[in-house]
Amino acid sequence: MKKFLMKVSVFAVYALLLQVIFPFIADPFNVFHDNNIRSNGVGFNSNYIKMKYILNHPDRFNAFLFGSSRVGAIHNEKIPELRTYNMTYSAGLPSEHLANIKTFLKNKICPAKIYVGVDSYSYTDEISEHVKQPMRCPYEYLADDKIYLFTLFFDPAMARQSLNIFLQKDSKNDNDNDIFHKYGWWGKYRAESKLDWNAKNIKPTYGKRFSDKNLRSTLNDIRETVNICHENGIELVIFTNPMHNITYMASVRELKYLEFLEGLASITEFYNFSSLNDITLSNDNYRETSHYKAEVGDMILNVICSDEIYPELYAQGFGVKVTKDNADEFIAMLKRQAENYATETR
């Protein structure tokens, strides 16, 4: 009996170490050390961490920038007259932004202004998948269900991953904690591209699935965001991220991207940056086919905050303010542009 109890005790200690203590200490997604985040090669659950940070500092910011990791290239501290925080998180969806805004309002955080960056990713990834992913599970799912939080981050597979990171990682802080909490962005200036642009068959980057149902659902989420901001006196600015031409053309061909823009224009005005223009056609402006560089982010801010116009780019669709009045003509131009480009590149 004693031997049996000894074995059980050893197993229990082993299980506790492997499945609880090491995951907690290594914490690859930083959900248990959100005030002391560490770069460990896995990635933060930025939605959860940032929401906790804002809720713990409700008076620190009066404006927010939402979007996927692509808006992480926008240095929001350059936005004039506002204390803006960049809420960028991996594959961020309009439904997740909407949930975060509702949480803010529920906790009496009512910003003066909200910016939202969208693109084809916005309606081709799914919240049902994010909920299962430790890096992407939204704050609202974890804060309201502590059992699920521990289940998600303390499962056996996560324990092994945490142990490997704990034993092998060569972590560099690079002031990540300071930057993360002060500003929220991740994209630094003069970043080098991660992609060999001379490689064959470079792939576009967008969500996993497309369906008309997802498209309609995303537009409904944006419509509700517009309504909530209006009801609470929040100025809302929506813009499209400047997608790399490979991703943009694939989105137009395969993902009904221009139909998404038509639906968006029927709901609200927005600034357009995704087209075939001198920015999106130059590999020098991108880290890969997903993320534009911080220098491009500055150009976006110049347009949406200071009404700056870059004449040549504007003629190509970069920085155009799309409204119900000019939407048909503008989207028709984008269609002709894409058709001509497809013909020229065959």
Side-chain angles (χ1 to χ4, degrees):
M1 185 65 177
K2 288 184 179 180
K3 289 184 178 180
F4 174 75
L5 292 175
M6 181 64 70
K7 290 180 180 179
V8 170
S9 299
V10 170
F11 178 79
V13 171
Y14 174 78
L16 181 65
L17 286 171
L18 186 62
Q19 295 189 223
V20 178
I21 295 177
F22 278 122
F24 180 82
I25 294 175
D27 191 15
F29 298 99
N30 286 272
V31 295
F32 304 115
H33 299 82
D34 53 279
N35 285 321
N36 185 29
I37 58 174
R38 300 159 295 184
S39 297
N40 52 32
V42 176
F44 310 147
N45 183 318
S46 296
N47 189 316
Y48 182 80
I49 298 169
K50 290 182 176 183
M51 286 299 293
K52 285 192 67 177
Y53 177 65
I54 298 302
L55 294 174
N56 287 331
H57 302 87
D59 300 319
R60 187 160 292 182
F61 304 98
N62 62 2
F64 298 97
L65 168 64
F66 283 94
S68 68
S69 59
R70 290 171 180 171
V71 304
I74 297 179
H75 284 230
N76 39 283
E77 71 274 15
K78 293 188 173 183
I79 295 176
E81 300 177 1
L82 291 169
R83 303 185 310 278
T84 308
Y85 189 70
N86 194 324
M87 291 292 295
T88 177
Y89 38 81
S90 177
L93 301 174
S95 62
E96 296 169 338
H97 311 332
L98 175 59
N100 293 164
I101 293 168
K102 287 181 178 179
T103 299
F104 285 162
L105 294 173
K106 182 179 178 181
N107 287 273
K108 299 182 180 180
I109 299 173
C110 187
K113 201 165 188 174
I114 287 176
Y115 301 87
V116 180
V118 298
D119 49 58
S120 62
Y121 223 123
S122 302
Y123 59 91
T124 55
D125 227 23
E126 295 185 350
I127 184 66
S128 59
E129 293 298 316
H130 287 193
V131 172
K132 304 173 188 176
Q133 300 168 359
M135 188 170 73
R136 293 175 176 170
C137 188
Y139 170 84
E140 285 73 20
Y141 286 83
L142 299 173
D144 294 341
D145 190 345
K146 295 299 183 184
I147 293 177
Y148 184 63
L149 184 149
F150 290 113
T151 300
L152 186 63
F153 292 100
F154 284 158
D155 69 0
M158 182 55 59
R160 289 193 296 272
Q161 186 179 31
S162 299
L163 180 59
N164 288 335
I165 293 169
F166 182 73
L167 294 175
Q168 300 175 16
K169 73 182 178 71
D170 179 18
S171 175
K172 294 182 179 180
N173 191 328
D174 292 331
N175 294 318
D176 284 337
N177 188 28
D178 186 54
I179 291 173
F180 194 94
H181 283 151
K182 270 190 176 180
Y183 311 118
W185 51 257
W186 62 268
K188 299 177 182 178
Y189 290 103
R190 295 176 294 279
E192 295 183 5
S193 175
K194 295 182 177 181
L195 192 64
D196 177 7
W197 294 107
N198 295 316
K200 295 181 179 180
N201 300 320
I202 295 177
K203 296 181 179 180
T205 308
Y206 43 70
K208 306 301 183 202
R209 298 179 180 85
F210 169 79
S211 71
D212 289 320
K213 180 181 178 182
N214 283 352
L215 179 56
R216 291 193 301 271
S217 178
T218 296
L219 290 173
N220 285 335
D221 291 329
I222 293 173
R223 182 179 292 105
E224 187 174 355
T225 300
V226 170
N227 292 338
I228 283 179
C229 287
H230 177 73
E231 291 166 2
N232 289 276
I234 302 169
E235 184 179 353
L236 176 65
V237 177
I238 295 180
F239 63 93
T240 64
N241 286 306
M243 291 185 285
H244 185 277
N245 68 87
I246 291 176
T247 296
Y248 174 78
M249 284 299 292
S251 299
V252 170
R253 287 193 311 266
E254 303 167 22
L255 305 177
K256 298 185 179 180
Y257 180 66
L258 299 185
E259 185 175 316
F260 167 69
L261 294 186
E262 290 174 349
L264 183 60
S266 71
I267 297 169
T268 184
E269 62 185 27
F270 64 92
Y271 288 93
N272 184 80
F273 296 95
S274 264
S275 62
L276 294 168
N277 56 67
D278 290 342
I279 297 297
T280 62
L281 288 168
S282 174
N283 296 335
D284 292 338
N285 294 318
Y286 291 84
R287 296 167 65 92
E288 4 69 6
T289 61
S290 183
H291 300 100
Y292 50 89
K293 295 183 179 179
E295 289 78 3
V296 177
D298 281 354
M299 297 177 72
I300 293 172
L301 286 183
N302 290 339
V303 173
I304 66 176
C305 297
S306 304
D307 292 322
E308 184 169 340
I309 293 177
Y310 300 90
E312 292 185 10
L313 292 173
Y314 188 89
Q316 299 169 329
F318 184 94
V320 174
K321 191 172 188 177
V322 182
T323 67
K324 291 181 180 179
D325 293 333
N326 69 0
D328 290 345
E329 181 181 355
F330 179 73
I331 293 172
M333 184 277 286
L334 294 183
K335 289 179 180 177
R336 292 193 301 272
Q337 189 185 64
E339 289 169 357
N340 293 337
Y341 182 81
T343 300
E344 292 170 2
T345 54
R346 281 176 185 164

